[in-house]
């Protein structure tokens, strides 16, 4: 299997709602529920928080590269990360300001196969 360490750190960050460096039971339960629920809007909102590493409300190409690279390491994918990010930004960055807002992400994610695949319970499906 691949190396999930980097991706796990990004998921941990989203679970650690108060940012204190640990995940208490309530944070774990909420994080687990949101990340595994069937409500697409909740899942997309959670995914946005994973990608928005610095929490400023936008996803930059650098943040996207870190997450996509960590996913590729975890899945042992040989995908061209740079091309993938270029395609994602072409689809989602509607106002072309070189960053993806929450609104752009929520609208664009439903049209992006890579993002949709990440949200499926079985990534091989």
């Amino acid at each position: 299997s691949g190396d999930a360490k980097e991706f796990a750190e990004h998921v941990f960050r989203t679970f650690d709602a108060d940012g204190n460096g640990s995940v208490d039971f309530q944070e774990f339960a909420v994080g687990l529920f949101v990340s595994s629920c069937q409500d697409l809007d909740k899942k997309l909102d959670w995914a946005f928080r994973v990608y928005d590493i610095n929490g400023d409300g936008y996803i930059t190409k650098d943040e996207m590269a870190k997450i996509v690279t960590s996913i590729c390491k975890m899945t042992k994918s040989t995908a061209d990360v740079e091309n993938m990010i270029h395609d994602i930004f072409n689809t989602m960055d509607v106002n072309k300001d070189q960053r993806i807002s929450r609104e752009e992400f929520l609208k664009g994610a439903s049209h992006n196969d890579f993002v949709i695949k990440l949200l499926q319970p079985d990534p091989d499906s």
Side-chain angles (χ1 to χ4, degrees):
S1 68
D3 182 0
K5 184 180 182 325
E6 285 178 37
F7 188 70
E9 288 172 7
H10 294 298
V11 172
F12 178 86
R13 177 181 39 79
T14 64
F15 277 42
D16 182 17
D18 61 10
N20 70 353
S22 67
V23 175
D24 63 28
F25 181 75
Q26 182 176 352
E27 288 171 325
F28 176 74
V30 169
L32 194 60
F33 171 76
V34 172
S35 64
S36 63
C37 76
Q38 297 302 312
D39 183 325
L40 184 60
D41 289 339
K42 283 188 173 117
K43 260 187 169 172
L44 288 174
D45 190 59
W46 176 80
F48 180 85
R49 290 196 318 271
V50 171
Y51 284 92
D52 180 18
I53 295 172
N54 68 4
D56 68 352
Y58 295 94
I59 301 168
T60 63
K61 286 184 179 183
D62 183 54
E63 288 172 320
M64 180 73 69
K66 287 178 181 171
I67 300 299
V68 172
T69 300
S70 71
I71 291 168
C72 288
K73 283 181 182 177
M74 179 176 67
T75 61
K76 292 188 174 180
S77 171
T78 57
D80 183 338
V81 172
E82 209 169 295
N83 258 353
M84 201 179 300
I85 292 166
H86 177 76
D87 292 345
I88 291 170
F89 268 75
N90 265 353
T91 304
M92 293 189 182
D93 185 16
V94 177
N95 64 2
K96 305 299 179 202
D97 65 352
Q98 301 301 300
R99 59 189 192 167
I100 299 171
S101 69
R102 181 181 302 270
E103 183 179 325
E104 287 172 323
F105 184 82
L106 297 178
K107 285 182 182 175
S110 60
H111 304 294
N112 188 283
D113 291 340
F114 180 75
V115 175
I116 291 169
K117 188 172 181 177
L118 292 179
L119 298 173
Q120 291 174 344
D122 178 7
D124 294 325
S125 63

